[in-house]
Amino acid sequence: MLTSDMEKLYPSAKTLVKECVASRVLAKDASLYDFSDGARETAENFMGWVDLGMRPQCDLAKVQRFADDVVASGIKTVVLIGQGGSTQAPMTITKYNKSDTVRANRVSFKTLDSDSPVRMRELLADCDPATTLVIVSSKSGGTIEPRLLSSALRDALEAQAPEINFANHLVAITDPGSQLERQAREEGWLAVFNGEPTVGGRFSALSIFGLLPAALVGIDLEQFAAHAKDAEERCSEDSIDNPAINLAAFLYDNYLKGRNKFSFLTPKRGRVLGLWIEQLVAESLGKEGQGILPNIEVDSLLLARDAGDRSVIMYQTKTDLWDERKNFEMSLAYIDPAIPRLNFKIDSALELAEHFVMWEYAIAMCGYLMRVCPFDQPDVASAKAEVLKILAEGQPEPDFVQDFIGDVHMGEVEVRLAPCFKDCTDVRAVLRALLGSIQPGDFFALNAFLPFTGEGRREALEDIRHGVGESRHVASCLEVGPRYLHSTGQLQKGGPNCGVFLILSADELKDIPLKREAESLGALAKAQASGDLLTLASRGRRCVHLHLPDNSGVTLRALAAVIREILAEL
């Protein structure tokens, strides 16, 4: 049941009701977005998501039977390979369900959307080829990350068990007629499930892209769809009680007041939902110089003083640990009461379907209010093109190379700069200029093409991002590359020019070679980091790319220590 605790009624809620926006969204009325020919045309082609609960685009019983048969056949591990919208909802559903003491996952479900060889080796260590099913999920079927990752993973699993016909362990989820569909049918993969072309990636949670993973971990699809149907009925009502209208009004009216960022706070279990929300909001609304930044925050102390540019959306999630609940509740007491707050509660994985619907409807309504098309992602495409160019023509030369920071020689760091920092000639000067450029109302993003597992890595990165946020009194984000390129990457390039970006990549101690397009997974990650720098810089953004000599925890801690010193000096 969708419930929210909002402090007041926001004015634009009345506008949405008066102009019948909710019911027009359900009716797939593209004229809502007739502020430009391009926006209306895009809406005409991509509003198939609005009634997936009422009218599922796939045969739920057939999908459920397939999942049950797969598990009955002895499959114990499922690996989903994809990027962006093809992985965010499945990751949310399967991770959230994993923590449910009533219906914990019946298979081990893993998502691979990282270029990191560290992550690939970690995943392979947990997979028995004989009991592993690999799902390659890509709407277009041509996205470079799932294409190369699936090839590398398949090669590794087949090398471990050459006696297995691994095509029988492969499933494709893709739109009809894609390159991936052709490959799967020609090679005789176990199954091909077609998506609905009128459903965009970030709106695909309730399509086959989200439903097959849900069924595999043991979620009853009929019940899941029933929750979605109920939410669609509520969220399409032209009523002041519509939860999607209230969410849209909260976001938009605070945006008009300069609160163009919201901090997402939740116990640990719910943060995976934040990743899905992050993509939906940032990629849908971050364009044409506008945008609302979702900030998945873990430290409420950073909200102890109202900076005037943020609101808070808080999710209570079910947990059986009293101490964990109390710890989260106590953390909320530090938030400045002047910061607008909206509270939600979610108890089960089944209820995720309702919140997917509510957020999708709300963001479609925000697009209407902001006069921004919520269904395209022009700057994501431009960044992809830059990466392909680098892979074909080679890496751009760094602006300079120097021994890595400190007295201990750990290798060299390559430094690439936006034009506004071209006068800097050493790493400390670069970081001082970058961090010193942060002004009130800006946000800082640490865009890291690094593994987030292993001792000390994530802790060092969180140290950097929270240190900057606390010192400069701004919202700070830790973004995982290449995942963020398909989500907040759109807002970073197409939204307002108030972001400051530190892009990190690193040499790999034991890289994984690739057969085509890129020499290795590490080379792909470096190309994506360099391409992101070039694309951001071309839009006048303040950005720096450091390519580190390695991705060890000690190297990242050394960088964090230098940044702390610089912040203390500013």
Side-chain angles (χ1 to χ4, degrees), residues 85-86 89-90 93-94 173 204-215 221 224:
S86 297
I93 296 165
T94 58
I173 306 178
S204 66
L206 297 167
S207 74
I208 188 62
F209 287 90
L211 294 179
L212 179 58
L221 295 189
F224 197 63

Side-chain angles (χ1 to χ4, degrees), residues 16-54:
L16 292 169
V17 172
K18 180 181 178 182
E19 297 179 10
C20 300
V21 175
S23 61
R24 291 169 68 190
V25 169
L26 178 63
K28 305 177 185 178
D29 181 359
S31 69
L32 285 166
Y33 308 100
D34 63 2
F35 40 80
S36 78
D37 292 340
R40 178 166 183 158
E41 181 180 356
T42 301
E44 287 171 350
N45 293 327
F46 289 102
M47 292 187 75
W49 55 272
V50 303
D51 55 2
L52 289 174
M54 299 175 183

Side-chain angles (χ1 to χ4, degrees), residues 274-291:
L275 292 174
W276 178 83
I277 290 171
E278 180 183 55
Q279 177 181 15
L280 180 72
V281 176
E283 195 173 29
S284 297
L285 303 179
K287 56 201 75 168
E288 299 178 20
Q290 299 192 70

Side-chain angles (χ1 to χ4, degrees), residues 24 43 88 90 97 131 135 200 284 292 306-307 393 425 468 511 517 547 562:
R24 291 169 68 190
Q88 295 288 36
N97 195 67
T131 58
I135 302 173
S284 297
I292 296 173
D306 181 19
E393 300 178 3
T425 56
V468 174
D511 210 344
E517 295 184 78
H547 183 75
V562 169

Side-chain angles (χ1 to χ4, degrees), residues 247-265:
L247 174 56
F250 175 84
L251 292 171
Y252 178 68
D253 286 5
N254 280 307
Y255 171 77
L256 290 181
K257 295 175 182 177
R259 296 185 183 272
N260 60 350
K261 311 168 187 72
F262 69 86
S263 292
F264 181 86
L265 294 174

Side-chain angles (χ1 to χ4, degrees), residues 396-432:
E397 288 297 317
D399 288 276
F400 63 87
V401 176
Q402 75 173 59
D403 286 346
F404 192 55
I405 302 160
D407 297 328
V408 179
H409 179 69
M410 302 176 70
E412 295 182 325
V413 58
E414 297 177 15
V415 182
R416 294 173 174 85
L417 305 170
C420 54
F421 302 123
K422 290 292 186 181
D423 292 338
C424 299
T425 56
D426 67 84
V427 171
R428 286 179 182 269
V430 165
L431 292 173
R432 187 175 292 107

Side-chain angles (χ1 to χ4, degrees), residues 157-266:
L157 291 172
E158 288 180 335
Q160 289 181 27
E163 73 280 4
I164 295 176
N165 178 9
F166 209 73
N168 293 331
H169 292 249
L170 295 170
V171 172
I173 306 178
T174 188
D175 280 358
S178 75
Q179 175 185 333
L180 175 58
E181 181 186 30
R182 290 193 297 274
Q183 178 188 358
R185 297 199 186 280
E186 288 170 2
E187 296 180 359
W189 289 18
L190 179 63
V192 175
F193 290 92
N194 284 136
E196 167 53 54
T198 63
V199 178
R202 59 187 176 276
F203 288 85
S204 66
L206 297 167
S207 74
I208 188 62
F209 287 90
L211 294 179
L212 179 58
L216 285 165
V217 298
I219 291 174
D220 184 289
L221 295 189
E222 292 290 350
Q223 292 182 36
F224 197 63
H227 279 264
K229 178 177 179 293
D230 290 345
E232 286 168 0
E233 290 171 351
R234 288 194 63 194
C235 292
S236 60
E237 291 179 349
D238 297 314
S239 163
I240 211 70
D241 297 323
N242 179 332
I245 285 179
N246 283 306
L247 174 56
F250 175 84
L251 292 171
Y252 178 68
D253 286 5
N254 280 307
Y255 171 77
L256 290 181
K257 295 175 182 177
R259 296 185 183 272
N260 60 350
K261 311 168 187 72
F262 69 86
S263 292
F264 181 86
L265 294 174
T266 183

